[in-house]
């Protein structure tokens, strides 16, 4: 990292690094590279396959399934154990494969942004220095590099020479405006002890971009010692649980507690009422497994992996952490910066106003003349952004004059001046710059001066940048002009600028708003500028606040934000119950990326921001975020449908089995039959991973609220239990005579068939949407299995038999009442849902 020693003069720095203005030799550079290592920021460790699989066991349902599988093996229920452990293995494998694909995609993106640096190297001690391009990774402390417009600063450097150098440090500090740099000499004794390194004019840092000018600099820090790499340590720490983690874990632990209570309750009840003890343990484990949504890890991983693969293929969106896709579906607040996201970080001309405040094209023409000859005569390495905007708006202007001289914009004077040849024997001075400074040079009475200042302030208050233009015509002369020549000017008017809007941003914002996502703008810019950009895009900017303490979490736009402010706002919104996404691309955005439920970064973001983000975009495109949100809701809707169907059906079956187990002189279903039923239901539910939810599921954020969810499954579970117990009553009446309820095979077969038929109905009717699609086909297949399996040879092996002719009619009567009741309760639930 840049140390205090860099406050020394350039000569002292060169001596400390044992180098010189002519650069290092190739041999010295190779030796230092071997000692210091490559100039790359530290990247997170890529986990091995076994570690990825072990981490997947942290999912609560996966851990419980593993426990139940081991318990089944201990009681020699090998079929149950094998199936449960196979489900655990498949879930872990799918999750590990998804993470591996995401890391591989991100590595490919990283290859696209690898760069080179221009460095001075010598073949030997006496050799002449030669300019050559080397990979950024090969830079070492002591290398002398050259910087020009458009270059990325490849390491932390101390400037040796600089001319008109400005750099963009937004990736490190969040500053939207370029910062001027100069190779000034500051002795140690005069160096202020409390000055921050980013404010030092003679230091440039890795990740900064050169906006204008040129420089020669010596590398003082590379790799892990740069300020850029140090931000990784500052952004470290354990990440807070995401919306997906909180919602699924809330539901999981309620069910897990019930599942863990089920086996002891079954054992104690059977021992007390039926005198059956440990022999009912396999049945008790099977009942607990029956309540477990065994396919949840598989369904979740498959839904998210399919959606992530589709996003990567069609919209170049890489999902690095699969649960983040569900979190995207639940996002109701998206925080983002203005510059580079809503706007293109370049100005465009809005209006040209005369002194009377009305449109005057002549003002734009004179401003463009000044811009043209400033660029031609001042020998700037790149045009100023405002000059480019003036020339674009005015077209071919300025060439009709002959340029005499130019003084480019200077931060001290805050004006730029050009002199062009006017009429015969005359010169015209064109001055443009800050309104206060230009008006101070005009011959105006105090009242007019104040009126024009108010006009400029009004335009600035509307979120526009203001450039004042004045001219003066005088006799041609060759002597140098003095400060007196720059007074008594004629005020021409004002040119106002706004930020160029990003293409497609307005449409993308409308799409996000239509999806129920509130967009909050967190920016370091002026409040009026940010509000103006939002209004131009049609984005609500009702409340505009300036970052401070306390923060205004209800503001649509928060201006003057520091990186810490952004992270605090995101954390505050999460604490208020929102699911928050954050789009950022710089090192300064890393705290907010980590604080958000979903961190989003474009491919062009700095490496560390991409590594921190959960989702990586090929381009900084809000439209891609809209597609990702829709994909997340698609997956979440399928997962929620699966959970509603399987948990309500499983809960009803478990309640019915517990009641029947206490009333029957035999087990209501053999453990092998419970397992077979679960397997059939689980196989049918794989269709949820391929379903297309109805449009209503995509219109608003998808959130699994544990309390509402548990109310849903309790209500429908009770209805399902009533249907099961009604079937039990019908069978009790049907099996009349001296052997009433003793025909266990018929009872088991009938209840097995009824259970699968009610589960098929629940799949079809509780799913939601209109088109049956894969769910309808899976439900039909499940019903067919329920009817055909008991009389088959496999059914006989499981202890079942074909049903007498009257039994299907009795079951049809029960189901004929169950289906309309289920539809009516579902309709009532939909009406009550907000």
């Amino acid at each position: 990292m840049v140390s205090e020693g860099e406050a020394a003069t350039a000569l002292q720095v060169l001596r400390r690094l044992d180098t010189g203005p002519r650069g290092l030799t190739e041999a010295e550079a190779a030796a230092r590279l071997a000692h210091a290592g490559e100039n790359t920021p530290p990247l997170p460790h890529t986990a091995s396959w076994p570690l990825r699989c072990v981490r997947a066991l942290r999912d609560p349902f996966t851990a419980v399934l593993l426990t139940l599988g081991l318990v089944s093996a201990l009681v020699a229920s090998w079929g149950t154990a094998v199936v449960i452990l196979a489900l655990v293995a498949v879930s872990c494998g799918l999750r590990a494969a998804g993470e591996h694909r995401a890391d591989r995609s991100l590595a490919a993106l990283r290859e696209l942004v690898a760069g080179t640096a221009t460095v001075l190297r010598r073949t030997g001690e006496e050799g002449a220095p030669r300019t050559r391009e080397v990979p950024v990774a090969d830079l070492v402390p002591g290398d002398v590099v050259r910087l020009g417009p458009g270059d990325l600063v490849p390491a932390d450097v101390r400037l040796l020479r600089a001319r008109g150098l400005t750099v963009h440090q937004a990736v490190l500090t969040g500053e939207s405006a370029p910062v001027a740099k100069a190779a000034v000499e500051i002795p140690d004794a005069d160096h202020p002890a409390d000055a921050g390194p980013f404010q030092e004019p003679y230091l440039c840092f890795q990740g900064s971009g050169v906006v204008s000018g040129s420089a020669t600099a010596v590398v003082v820090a590379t790799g892990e010692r740069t300020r850029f790499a140090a931000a990784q340590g500052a952004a470290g720490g354990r990440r807070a649980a995401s919306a997906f983690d909180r919602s699924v874990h809330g539901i999981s632990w309620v069910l897990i507690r019930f599942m863990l209570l089920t086996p002891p309750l079954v054992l104690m009840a059977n021992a007390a009422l039926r005198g059956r003890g440990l022999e009912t343990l396999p049945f008790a484990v099977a009942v607990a497994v029956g309540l477990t949504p065994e396919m949840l890890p598989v369904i979740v991983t498959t839904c998210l992996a399919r959606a992530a693969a589709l996003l990567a293929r069609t919209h170049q969106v890489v999902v690095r952490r699969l649960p983040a896709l569900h979190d995207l579906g639940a996002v109701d607040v998206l925080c983002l910066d203005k510059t580079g996201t809503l706007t293109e970080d370049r100005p465009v001309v809005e209006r040209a106003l005369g002194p009377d405040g009305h449109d005057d094209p002549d003002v734009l023409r004179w401003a463009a003349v000044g811009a043209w000859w400033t660029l031609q005569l001042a020998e700037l390495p790149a045009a100023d952004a405002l000059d480019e905007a003036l020339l674009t708006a005015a077209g071919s202007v300025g060439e009709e004059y002959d340029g005499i001289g130019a003084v480019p914009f200077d931060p001290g004077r805050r004006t730029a001046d050009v002199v062009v040849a006017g009429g015969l024997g005359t010169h015209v001075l064109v001055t443009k710059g800050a309104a206060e400074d230009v008006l101070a040079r005009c011959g105006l009475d105090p009242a007019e001066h104040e009126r024009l200042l108010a006009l400029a302030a009004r335009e600035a208050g509307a979120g526009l940048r203001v450039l004042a233009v004045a001219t003066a015509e005088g006799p041609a002369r060759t002597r140098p002009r003095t400060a007196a020549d720059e007074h008594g000017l004629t005020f021409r008017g004002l040119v106002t600028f706004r930020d160029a809007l990003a293409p497609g941003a307005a449409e993308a914002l409308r799409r996000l708003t239509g999806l129920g996502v509130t967009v909050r703008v967190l920016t370091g810019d002026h409040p009026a500028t940010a509000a103006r950009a939002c209004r131009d895009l049609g984005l609500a900017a009702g409340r505009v606040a300036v970052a401070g303490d306390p923060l205004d979490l209800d503001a649509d736009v928060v201006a003057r934000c520091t990186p810490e402010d952004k992270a605090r706002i995101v954390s505050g919104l999460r604490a208020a119950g929102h699911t928050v996404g954050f789009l950022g691309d710089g090192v300064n955005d890393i705290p907010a990326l980590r604080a958000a439920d979903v961190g989003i970064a474009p491919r062009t973001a700095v490496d560390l921001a991409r590594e921190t983000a959960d989702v990586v975009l090929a381009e900084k495109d809000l439209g891609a975020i809209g597609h990702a949100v829709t994909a997340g809701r698609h997956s979440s809707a399928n997962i929620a449908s699966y959970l509603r169907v399987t948990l309500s059906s499983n809960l009803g079956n478990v309640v019915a089995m517990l009641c029947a187990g206490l009333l029957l002189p035999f087990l209501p279903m053999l453990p092998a039959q419970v397992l077979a039923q679960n397997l059939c239901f689980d196989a049918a539910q794989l269709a949820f991973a391929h379903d297309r939810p109805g449009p209503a599921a995509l219109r608003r954020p998808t959130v699994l609220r544990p309390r509402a969810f548990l109310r849903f499954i309790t209500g429908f579970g009770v209805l399902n239990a009533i249907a099961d117990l009604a079937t039990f009553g019908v069978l009790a009446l049907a099996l009349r005579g001296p052997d009433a309820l003793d025909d266990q095979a018929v009872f088991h077969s009938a209840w097995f068939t009824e259970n699968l038929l009610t589960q098929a109905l629940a799949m079809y009717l509780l799913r939601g949407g209109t088109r049956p699609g894969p769910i309808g086909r899976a439900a039909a297949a499940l019903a067919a299995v329920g009817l055909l399996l008991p009389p088959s040879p496999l059914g006989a092996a499981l202890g079942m038999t074909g049903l007498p002719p009257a039994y299907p009619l009795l079951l049809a009567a029960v189901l004929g009442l169950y289906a309309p009741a289920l539809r009516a309760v579902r309709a009532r639930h939909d009406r009550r849902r907000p």
Side-chain angles (χ1 to χ4, degrees):
M1 201 184 312
V2 178
S3 64
E4 294 179 1
E6 273 65 75
T9 65
L11 180 59
Q12 290 172 325
V13 172
L14 291 172
R15 286 175 177 171
R16 180 174 61 80
L17 294 171
D18 193 20
T19 186
R22 300 168 67 231
L24 300 173
T25 66
E26 294 290 353
E28 289 172 335
R32 295 189 185 194
L33 182 62
H35 178 264
E38 290 190 343
N39 178 36
T40 54
L43 299 178
H45 175 68
T46 301
S48 62
W49 274 95
L51 181 58
R52 294 182 196 271
C53 293
V54 170
R55 286 195 309 204
L57 293 176
R58 293 182 296 184
D59 177 84
F61 275 129
T62 304
V64 170
L65 278 177
L66 179 62
T67 303
L68 290 175
L70 296 176
V71 171
S72 300
L74 289 175
V75 299
S77 182
W78 301 112
T80 304
V82 169
V83 172
I84 293 176
L85 294 176
L87 287 174
V88 171
V90 169
S91 172
C92 293
L94 284 173
R95 186 164 299 185
E99 292 181 359
H100 174 70
R101 284 194 299 270
D103 285 345
R104 192 168 55 188
S105 298
L106 197 67
L109 289 176
R110 195 181 299 123
E111 294 288 333
L112 298 177
V113 296
T116 60
T118 303
V119 64
L120 288 178
R121 292 271 178 89
R122 294 173 290 147
T123 56
E125 289 292 342
E126 303 301 326
R130 293 185 178 180
T131 302
R132 53 171 297 195
E133 295 287 323
V134 300
V136 168
D138 291 347
L139 288 181
V140 295
D143 263 328
V144 175
V145 296
R146 288 183 175 171
L147 304 173
D151 287 346
L152 286 177
V153 179
D156 288 356
V157 299
R158 206 287 186 195
L159 297 177
L160 302 178
R161 292 183 298 276
R163 182 183 182 193
L165 183 67
T166 60
V167 300
H168 208 279
Q169 298 184 147
V171 295
L172 293 163
T173 65
E175 297 171 287
S176 61
V179 178
K181 297 288 183 177
V184 295
E185 303 286 349
I186 299 182
D188 287 334
D190 298 332
H191 182 70
D194 58 349
F198 299 115
Q199 281 70 49
E200 300 293 5
Y202 49 83
L203 295 178
C204 294
F205 300 91
Q206 186 181 47
S208 303
V210 178
V211 178
S212 63
S214 59
T216 301
V218 59
V219 174
V220 295
T222 60
E224 297 184 5
R225 291 179 55 81
T226 63
R227 293 275 173 182
F228 185 84
Q232 183 168 7
R238 186 177 181 83
R239 187 172 191 157
S242 69
F244 179 80
D245 297 329
R246 296 193 302 269
S247 58
V248 171
H249 285 199
I251 296 169
S252 299
W253 286 113
V254 173
L255 294 172
I256 287 168
R257 294 185 186 100
F258 189 72
M259 288 159 49
L260 296 177
L261 286 174
T262 299
L265 287 175
V266 173
L267 290 175
M268 290 188 293
N270 276 274
L273 299 178
R274 294 293 176 184
R276 298 190 293 256
L278 289 177
E279 64 269 20
T280 61
L281 181 58
F283 173 72
V285 171
V287 171
V289 172
L291 181 63
T292 308
E294 301 101 326
M295 298 301 292
L296 178 62
V298 177
I299 295 290
V300 168
T301 306
T302 304
C303 283
L304 297 179
R306 290 184 73 249
L310 183 64
L311 275 176
R313 186 170 62 252
T314 58
H315 300 292
Q316 290 75 54
V317 177
V318 177
V319 180
R320 300 189 62 242
R321 184 178 61 86
L322 281 182
L325 195 55
H326 170 86
D327 295 338
L328 269 173
V331 162
D332 59 349
V333 176
L334 176 65
C335 297
L336 45 82
D337 194 1
K338 175 186 72 69
T339 305
T341 304
L342 302 179
T343 62
E344 288 191 318
D345 199 17
R346 65 178 179 86
V348 294
V349 172
E350 175 72 5
R351 297 178 67 189
L353 305 175
D356 58 359
H358 295 95
D359 291 337
D360 185 349
D362 200 46
V363 179
L364 177 62
R365 184 180 68 84
W366 279 116
V369 169
W372 171 261
W373 286 108
T374 297
L375 182 62
Q376 300 301 314
L377 299 178
E379 298 182 0
L380 296 175
D384 178 79
L386 295 183
D387 286 346
E388 286 186 333
L390 290 169
L391 294 173
T392 300
S396 180
V397 172
E399 299 181 44
E400 67 272 23
Y401 293 96
D402 291 328
I404 306 300
V407 179
F409 180 84
D410 179 80
R413 298 168 60 247
R414 300 207 303 168
T415 59
D417 302 312
V418 300
V419 177
V420 297
L424 183 63
T426 63
H427 286 171
V428 178
L429 170 67
V430 182
T431 297
K432 54 186 176 63
E436 297 88 344
D437 295 83
V438 172
L439 287 171
R441 301 179 186 183
C442 296
L444 301 170
D445 61 71
E448 180 69 2
H449 184 270
E450 291 301 319
R451 187 186 70 80
L452 292 174
L453 279 179
L455 174 63
R458 186 192 71 188
E459 296 299 314
L464 299 171
R465 297 173 68 177
V466 179
L467 186 74
V469 183
T471 62
E473 186 172 354
R477 62 175 182 268
T478 57
R479 67 175 177 81
R481 292 182 175 269
T482 65
D485 298 321
E486 297 177 0
H487 287 79
L489 308 182
T490 300
F491 181 72
R492 292 287 182 173
L494 303 173
V495 181
T496 60
F497 302 81
R498 59 174 173 83
D499 290 332
L501 304 181
E507 176 60 32
L509 288 172
R510 282 194 294 271
R511 175 180 172 85
L512 287 169
T513 303
L515 291 171
V517 177
T518 301
V519 177
R520 300 282 177 86
V521 178
L522 312 181
T523 179
D525 282 345
H526 189 280
T529 304
R532 176 60 184 250
C534 293
R535 288 195 298 271
D536 290 344
L537 289 166
L539 181 65
R543 293 189 61 178
V544 181
V546 177
D549 195 4
L551 293 170
D552 189 346
L553 298 180
D554 295 324
D556 299 297
V557 178
V558 183
R560 303 299 191 195
C561 276
T562 66
E564 294 75 19
D565 290 332
K566 293 180 181 180
R568 288 168 55 210
I569 292 171
V570 170
S571 298
L573 289 170
R574 290 187 67 189
H578 295 285
T579 303
V580 184
F582 182 84
L583 173 63
D585 59 0
V587 173
N588 61 300
D589 292 323
I590 290 174
L593 286 169
R594 294 188 63 85
D597 289 288
V598 187
I600 308 168
R603 185 195 71 189
T604 52
V606 297
D607 284 350
L608 190 53
R610 288 204 311 272
E611 295 291 343
T612 303
D614 304 302
V615 177
V616 178
L617 311 177
E619 303 294 340
K620 200 169 185 179
D621 178 18
L622 286 176
I625 298 178
H627 291 299
V629 168
T630 301
R633 292 185 184 178
H634 189 139
S635 300
S636 299
N638 286 342
I639 294 168
S641 294
Y642 162 76
L643 282 172
R644 281 195 295 266
V645 170
T646 191
L647 292 179
S648 58
S649 181
N650 287 356
L651 181 62
N653 287 338
V654 166
V655 171
M657 282 189 183
L658 291 176
C659 295
L662 298 178
L663 298 174
L664 292 174
F666 52 83
L667 291 177
M669 197 174 287
L670 299 178
Q673 295 166 353
V674 175
L675 175 63
Q677 176 185 284
N678 288 341
L679 282 176
C680 294
F681 192 29
D682 290 341
Q685 289 177 107
L686 286 173
F688 280 105
H690 304 272
D691 191 25
R692 294 186 63 83
L698 307 179
R699 292 193 194 109
R700 57 186 176 185
T702 305
V703 181
L704 298 176
R705 294 184 175 86
R707 290 186 178 180
F709 208 84
L710 291 173
R711 283 197 301 269
F712 180 96
I713 65 174
T714 300
F716 285 95
V718 168
L719 181 60
N720 192 60
I722 291 173
D724 286 345
L725 292 174
T727 303
F728 166 66
V730 168
L731 295 177
L733 294 174
L735 294 172
R736 295 189 301 271
D739 296 326
L741 296 179
D742 285 342
D743 193 344
Q744 299 183 28
V746 173
F747 185 91
H748 291 160
S749 302
W751 204 353
F752 180 91
T753 298
E754 186 273 343
N755 275 338
L756 289 190
L757 291 176
T758 56
Q759 288 171 335
L761 281 173
M763 282 183 63
Y764 183 73
L765 296 177
L766 293 185
R767 161 190 169 267
T770 54
R771 295 176 298 177
I775 298 299
R777 295 189 291 271
L782 183 63
V785 170
L787 293 170
L788 300 177
L789 182 60
S792 70
L794 180 57
L798 293 172
M800 293 186 289
T801 185
L803 298 177
Y807 280 70
L809 296 177
L810 295 173
L811 295 179
V814 173
L815 295 172
L817 297 174
Y818 172 68
L822 187 64
R823 187 182 293 274
V825 174
R826 174 61 196 257
R828 180 173 179 270
H829 173 270
D830 289 343
R831 286 195 301 270
R832 295 179 59 185
R833 185 170 60 180

